[in-house]
Amino acid sequence: MAERIKYPAPGCVVEFIENNSVQIAVVLEEAGGKLRLLLPSRRETRLAANRLLPWPGPQHKADLGREEYVRIMEEHRRARQCKADQIDIMAVWELAQGEVSLAPATWFAELCENDPDYDSIAAYGGALLACKTHFRFQAPDFLVYDAETVGKRLDDQRAREEREALVAGGAAFLRTLWEHAAKNSILPPDSPALAGQPDEKILHRIQTILFARLLNPDTRDDEALWLLLSKGLPDVPHLPLQLLTAWGKLPPHYNFWLDRAGYESGDDWWHGFELPVGMLYRQGQGETVTKSPFISIDSAKTRDIDDAFFLEKNSSGWLLTVALACPAATWPFGSSFDKRVLHRATSIYLPEGDLHMLPENLGANALSLFAGRQRPVFCLRLDIDKQGNITNCQPGMDTMALAENLTYEDCQAVLDAMTDSIRLPDNPAAKHGEMLADALDLAKTMRDRRIERGAIVMERPDVDIRLDKVDGKLRVAIGEMPKAGDAQLIVSEMMIAASSAIADWAFEHGIPLVHRTQNVAVPKEYAGIWSDPVDLARIMRYLAPSILESTPRLHAALAAQRYAPVTSPLRRYADLLNEGQIIHFLRTGSPRWRLNEMDAILDRLIPALESATQVQKFRPRYWKLLYFRQQGDQAWWDGVITEENDAFVTVSLPAQGMFVRGKRHLFDERAAAGLAVSVRIGKVNPLYNEIQILEAMTNE
């Protein structure tokens, strides 16, 4: 065996680590622990002796020339490389495992060979250094990891290698995607960027990261990796969405708000719940029976009809019976299906299509109050005096088939004709003209009574957003919804009356319900009917949003002491929950849920509802912004100033249902709330929710 050299002298072959690799050299001079070394490149370097690897040798003559030393180093380098290529380092670890925990390179060389020379020992030392998953260099020895530690280190190494490959190939790929995203183009499938580099595994990992950050921009998962991948890309709010769209993984105008809400689009989400859905479906099926005198009034597009009414006028006022769809009659509260519906929380109505809280074969079919089809219903019989006060509320259950499903437009046409004393139009609402007229009289009476108590009625024009394909491209159109104010007033006042009355009834009977509250003090002068944009903006700034809670409190805008929503059980989970609570009380004499249990349900419902509300709020606005961008920045739009200060002016565009803001210097000195103006709009980015007034002029 080669004799160990403790103190390398001039002429000794040594090794050291430089730039994470083993370097060979010959000692030319040694003085006080400092070495002057000759490298194979014929360059000299200085090094502290303690930086040498602990296997110096062999020792050659000190007076050989430089070229001879270079030749010697090359011979040793080749010999060591040849030996290293023959070493099965895994076999070495297997032999050493359990034998020692710490040993020098010489020990490992002797374990595998008889009488190893200097080159063999150095070769084993180099192999041990390179195998960091199984050995750790603790000069002058090597620590031998146990099997468990090796397994963890191998996993770490694989993860590190995958990470390095991901960053190396992924960052360039993301830059390519951004180039297309910036131009609103799609990366072609035959793009060189997809031709094998990066490989499929890396592409899948990138896709996973992008989708994760699309769902939750604030996620801390893979944060460091994302920073490396996105280095050099713009720091914009929806970068993952834009990259996925440019990649073709998502379609243009993708509704990412649904993903963030965890709200599944389409009607496949309930698959796997066929048993409870089937039971509920059969509940709604019945033979056609003699029609009742009840009618419903909805938009012509409505498929989930969940409320109807019948009105009788009498000497003391009116008897109003409100019939509501009754999914709660056999609803499996507490089941997995129920929890899934609770997570949806509400139906969402968007320009691109409706998303129903319930499976469509229930909410828009078996349980919907279709005329002529027998359905279970939850009824509220309300006695209302001539001043519009509800004097009695009697809830109950029944089955019935509605006489007619009417539309706002048809009902309004009949009401207009009756007001003008002209011939009634030839539509399905005409035969119900007398009851519609009585209903309008009642609605106005109840509204006036609420205003006397401080109610705020805000009449804002509804806009119709339509998405069309023109020459294969999506175009957005915005128009005003057909006016049907009286017909809509009938429905809204009846629904307010029903929800207020049932809240009072439940309070008297000690039944916990979900209430919608707005417990704020409203100035008396705010009571009334408002339609002017300036008034609407002023009042909206003052009023706090309503909230859901189990404690019955004031709803200021409605002037209702208590208000428990119950009229849309097919569309809103809170209404379904309240209906289930009342029906259980009617059947058993006790509520299904105590107050603390109702609060526990609300703890899950409120976040889900807030998420769904974000979709309902931002998605229509996205289409409106896209509409403005498609019209270009040379179009002028009529509006009215609703607010101004030293920095900005806010303008309402009633025809488009939008508020836009511009810098104060764009407006002249007459700018004040109520002033009619025309504005030119630009710098519109629907995805970033950006829109600016570029120019403004006063309408004389």
Side-chain angles (χ1 to χ4, degrees):
M1 173 187 165
E3 183 179 352
R4 181 168 178 242
I5 298 173
K6 293 184 178 180
Y7 305 106
C12 184
V13 177
V14 295
E15 289 187 339
F16 63 95
I17 295 178
E18 188 75 31
N19 296 325
N20 290 323
S21 63
V22 176
Q23 308 291 330
I24 194 169
V26 169
V27 178
L28 295 180
E29 181 181 329
E30 187 276 330
K34 301 290 185 181
L35 303 175
R36 183 164 64 90
L37 304 178
L38 177 67
L39 303 178
S41 63
R42 297 173 177 78
R43 184 175 60 86
E44 290 186 13
T45 188
R46 294 186 180 276
L47 196 74
N50 60 8
R51 285 193 55 193
L52 294 181
L53 291 171
W55 46 81
Q59 179 70 54
H60 294 277
K61 293 180 180 180
D63 56 355
L64 298 179
R66 286 174 175 264
E67 292 303 318
E68 181 64 14
Y69 281 142
V70 170
R71 183 190 65 77
I72 289 172
M73 282 189 284
E74 183 59 28
E75 287 180 356
H76 286 297
R77 188 195 64 77
R78 283 199 300 268
R80 295 176 184 193
Q81 184 61 54
C82 182
K83 173 58 70 174
D85 291 341
Q86 299 171 10
I87 295 173
D88 184 350
I89 197 65
M90 292 298 102
V92 174
W93 178 77
E94 291 285 352
L95 290 171
Q97 238 273 312
E99 292 292 327
V100 295
S101 59
L102 200 66
T106 304
W107 185 89
F108 292 96
E110 291 175 340
L111 180 67
C112 301
E113 296 185 12
N114 292 321
D115 196 22
D117 59 13
Y118 288 108
D119 289 333
S120 292
I121 295 171
Y124 275 91
L128 293 167
L129 282 171
C131 190
K132 293 181 172 59
T133 54
H134 292 66
F135 304 93
R136 179 180 177 184
F137 183 48
Q138 293 182 340
D141 299 322
F142 287 90
L143 173 68
V144 182
Y145 289 126
D146 58 35
E148 182 180 355
T149 303
V150 166
K152 293 179 180 178
R153 293 181 68 81
L154 285 173
D155 290 341
D156 291 343
Q157 178 178 297
R158 281 190 291 269
R160 185 168 56 253
E161 290 172 351
E162 290 176 1
R163 178 190 182 94
E164 291 170 354
L166 178 62
V167 172
F173 180 66
L174 290 188
R175 285 194 294 272
T176 300
L177 287 180
W178 175 249
E179 291 172 4
H180 286 272
K183 296 182 290 188
N184 291 318
S185 63
I186 307 297
L187 181 70
D190 58 353
S191 169
L194 292 172
Q197 293 294 331
D199 62 28
E200 286 300 319
K201 188 175 182 180
I202 291 176
L203 291 177
H204 178 74
R205 183 81 172 97
I206 292 173
Q207 181 177 330
T208 301
I209 292 173
L210 289 176
F211 271 110
R213 303 196 77 81
L214 170 70
L215 289 173
N216 182 10
D218 299 323
T219 179
R220 308 307 297 177
D221 295 342
D222 294 318
E223 177 70 14
L225 181 57
W226 170 248
L227 292 175
L228 290 172
L229 284 171
S230 61
K231 187 176 181 180
L233 298 181
D235 183 17
V236 292
H238 303 294
L239 179 61
L241 172 64
Q242 292 178 274
L243 296 177
L244 286 166
T245 303
W247 195 353
K249 299 297 181 180
L250 293 176
H253 312 296
Y254 181 73
N255 190 354
F256 66 93
W257 289 106
L258 284 175
D259 293 333
R260 292 188 182 175
Y263 198 110
E264 297 173 70
S265 59
D267 192 44
D268 295 332
W269 61 268
W270 59 271
H271 290 177
F273 298 105
E274 282 77 10
L275 182 60
V277 171
M279 293 177 63
L280 288 163
Y281 184 88
R282 289 188 291 275
Q283 169 200 338
Q285 299 304 296
E287 298 297 327
T288 301
V289 296
T290 303
K291 294 180 181 179
S292 72
F294 284 71
I295 61 173
S296 67
I297 306 176
D298 292 277
S299 162
K301 298 179 181 179
T302 300
R303 296 168 55 205
D304 45 358
I305 299 171
D306 51 13
D307 59 78
F309 73 92
F310 176 65
L311 182 66
E312 300 172 276
K313 200 167 186 178
N314 53 40
S315 58
S316 59
W318 296 268
L319 173 60
L320 170 65
T321 305
V322 177
L324 304 171
C326 196
T330 57
W331 188 262
F333 288 106
S335 67
S336 297
F337 175 64
D338 171 60
K339 292 174 183 176
R340 192 70 166 270
V341 174
L342 183 153
H343 181 71
R344 292 174 77 79
T346 181
S347 295
I348 299 175
Y349 301 96
L350 303 174
E352 59 265 46
D354 298 339
L355 300 171
H356 297 279
M357 179 182 76
L358 300 185
E360 290 186 22
N361 64 352
L362 296 180
N365 187 0
L367 300 178
S368 186
L369 301 183
F370 293 152
R373 293 297 187 92
Q374 179 175 299
R375 295 289 191 260
V377 292
F378 174 58
C379 289
L380 295 177
R381 290 171 56 88
L382 307 180
D383 290 307
I384 306 172
D385 65 21
K386 293 180 179 180
Q387 289 73 44
N389 300 303
I390 300 171
T391 59
N392 184 52
C393 171
Q394 181 181 343
M397 297 179 64
D398 204 345
T399 58
M400 68 171 62
L402 267 60
E404 207 87 53
N405 297 133
L406 304 179
T407 67
Y408 287 122
E409 292 81 3
D410 284 351
C411 291
Q412 189 63 48
V414 169
L415 291 168
D416 289 343
M418 295 181 74
T419 300
D420 297 336
S421 300
I422 61 176
R423 182 178 178 182
L424 295 181
D426 183 16
N427 70 39
K431 64 180 116 175
H432 304 284
E434 184 177 348
M435 186 166 69
L436 289 173
D438 288 342
L440 180 59
D441 185 25
L442 170 62
K444 289 180 177 179
T445 301
M446 290 193 296
R447 182 189 60 186
D448 293 344
R449 182 71 184 96
R450 289 194 303 111
I451 291 173
E452 289 175 8
R453 296 196 298 263
I456 301 170
V457 180
M458 292 187 283
E459 296 182 342
R460 287 170 285 194
D462 292 327
V463 297
D464 180 32
I465 304 174
R466 192 176 68 252
L467 308 180
D468 301 315
K469 285 283 187 177
V470 179
D471 297 329
K473 295 182 179 180
L474 180 70
R475 296 290 296 182
V476 184
I478 294 181
E480 188 174 349
M481 296 285 284
K483 294 184 181 299
D486 291 337
Q488 290 173 327
L489 176 64
I490 290 172
V491 175
S492 65
E493 286 299 325
M494 287 184 178
M495 298 308 105
I496 292 171
S499 294
S500 301
I502 199 63
D504 291 338
W505 178 88
F507 180 75
E508 293 169 3
H509 289 79
I511 304 172
L513 291 180
V514 171
H515 297 83
R516 183 159 290 282
T517 68
Q518 192 183 46
N519 193 27
V520 295
V522 178
K524 291 182 179 180
E525 60 268 22
Y526 278 21
I529 303 172
W530 308 95
S531 59
D532 182 85
V534 178
D535 294 329
L536 292 174
R538 172 173 53 88
I539 294 171
M540 285 189 292
R541 287 195 299 270
Y542 182 87
L543 284 178
S546 62
I547 61 173
L548 288 180
E549 58 180 334
S550 61
T551 303
R553 303 181 199 272
L554 172 70
H555 192 300
L558 298 178
Q561 287 301 116
R562 287 169 285 273
Y563 185 85
V566 73
T567 59
S568 294
L570 301 180
R571 310 179 194 183
R572 299 189 301 239
Y573 190 86
D575 300 49
L576 172 62
L577 191 68
N578 282 340
E579 186 178 74
Q581 179 81 317
I582 298 164
I583 288 175
H584 191 276
F585 181 86
L586 294 176
R587 287 172 172 171
T588 69
S590 62
R592 178 186 291 269
W593 300 283
R594 294 187 294 271
L595 184 63
N596 63 324
E597 293 171 322
M598 193 69 81
D599 284 333
I601 296 173
L602 278 176
D603 287 342
R604 290 181 285 127
L605 175 59
I606 290 174
L609 189 59
E610 288 175 348
S611 295
T613 302
Q614 292 288 300
V615 182
Q616 188 69 76
K617 174 182 178 182
F618 286 106
R619 190 58 174 173
R621 182 174 174 84
Y622 173 90
W623 294 120
K624 290 180 182 179
L625 293 179
L626 183 60
Y627 168 77
F628 281 107
R629 189 169 72 179
Q630 289 177 346
Q631 303 308 306
D633 61 6
Q634 298 305 308
W636 287 84
W637 308 89
D638 292 333
V640 59
I641 295 175
T642 59
E643 185 181 8
E644 61 89 22
N645 55 43
D646 292 341
F648 294 100
V649 174
T650 301
V651 176
S652 169
L653 305 178
Q656 293 76 37
M658 283 281 292
F659 286 92
V660 291
R661 194 169 70 161
K663 293 182 179 179
R664 181 65 179 79
H665 70 81
L666 297 174
F667 296 79
D668 62 29
E669 66 281 356
R670 291 171 291 177
L675 182 68
V677 295
S678 291
V679 295
R680 189 167 62 84
I681 291 173
K683 297 183 179 180
V684 181
N685 190 318
L687 182 59
Y688 297 162
N689 193 24
E690 295 175 351
I691 184 170
Q692 292 184 24
I693 295 175
L694 302 179
E695 190 176 355
M697 61 182 180
T698 300
N699 294 338
E700 297 292 341

